[in-house]
Amino acid sequence: MGDLLYRKRYRIPSTRLSGWDYGLGGAYCITICTLNRICCFGEVLEGRMVPSGLGQIVAEEWEEMARRRPYVDLDAWVVMPNHFHGILFVHPPPFGSRLRTLGTMIGQFKGACSRRIWAGGSHDFDWQERFFDQIIRDEATLLRFRKYILENPLRWEKDKHHPKADR
């Protein structure tokens, strides 16, 4: 357990792929959940996601993240009642420069959403710590993730993030 200590404090091991340089670009499928999986981003009605005001903020900030970063392209994404899925392509930086890491970009996205949500009066909102990413290495994986994301509202009742799902 000694490897979990850093400066005499416990730390959680990274979920990032060891040896992968997240600062060099790549394609990723991202999942980010609300704290305690609280459903505040809207609801799924008849297999379609209907975002709340908070869900609209998340959608706007996701698109804004790519507008602010010319080296990021967005692909399929969906705001769900208590989580978010998105595919993004991070292009390699010009020679001699480095990109912000994926973790930094997602942290800034979460922070931008939180600031707007809190400013609107939802002071109890928060994200779950961290996020989950999967590296997309080929076309078949991209197509599988794209399908999963686009069909996510249709499977909401059976989704592992659904509040009534068996855990």
Side-chain angles (χ1 to χ4, degrees):
M1 193 169 282
D3 61 334
L4 293 179
L5 284 177
Y6 176 74
R7 295 187 181 178
K8 298 183 183 181
R9 299 177 83 187
Y10 284 99
R11 63 186 173 105
I12 300 170
S14 175
T15 59
R16 307 286 75 86
L17 179 63
S18 178
W20 181 265
D21 189 343
Y22 286 86
L24 291 179
Y28 305 96
C29 182
I30 306 295
T31 300
I32 311 168
C33 298
T34 60
L35 185 64
N36 299 320
R37 301 237 170 42
I38 302 297
C39 292
C40 58
F41 293 151
E43 60 184 322
V44 175
L45 297 174
E46 298 177 7
R48 200 174 129 253
M49 179 60 189
V50 180
S52 65
L54 303 188
Q56 290 172 350
I57 288 171
V58 172
E60 290 167 8
E61 288 300 330
W62 185 249
E63 290 177 338
E64 184 63 22
M65 180 180 67
R67 275 193 290 276
R68 289 183 187 159
R69 294 170 178 85
Y71 51 85
V72 172
D73 287 321
L74 304 180
D75 197 276
W77 57 271
V78 66
V79 178
M80 294 296 291
N82 61 5
H83 65 283
F84 173 86
H85 294 295
I87 294 173
L88 67 144
F89 299 95
V90 183
H91 302 288
F95 184 76
S97 61
R98 258 183 94 68
L99 293 176
R100 303 246 176 178
T101 65
L102 181 65
T104 299
M105 286 189 288
I106 298 302
Q108 290 171 343
F109 162 72
K110 289 168 68 174
C113 292
S114 296
R115 282 187 295 281
R116 285 186 60 194
I117 290 169
W118 295 335
S122 297
H123 302 288
D124 56 345
F125 170 79
D126 210 351
W127 294 102
Q128 174 178 302
E129 286 188 29
R130 304 164 140 223
F131 65 96
F132 182 71
D133 73 272
Q134 293 183 285
I135 300 167
I136 300 172
R137 298 177 194 245
D138 56 46
E139 186 75 16
T141 304
L142 172 62
L143 294 175
R144 189 176 78 247
F145 284 134
R146 198 179 274 159
K147 180 178 180 183
Y148 177 84
I149 288 169
L150 296 175
E151 294 177 356
N152 205 240
L154 296 171
R155 295 186 312 275
W156 173 236
E157 294 295 323
K158 296 178 182 174
D159 192 293
K160 68 181 179 181
H161 300 294
H162 192 285
K164 295 181 182 168
D166 294 329
R167 297 195 196 269

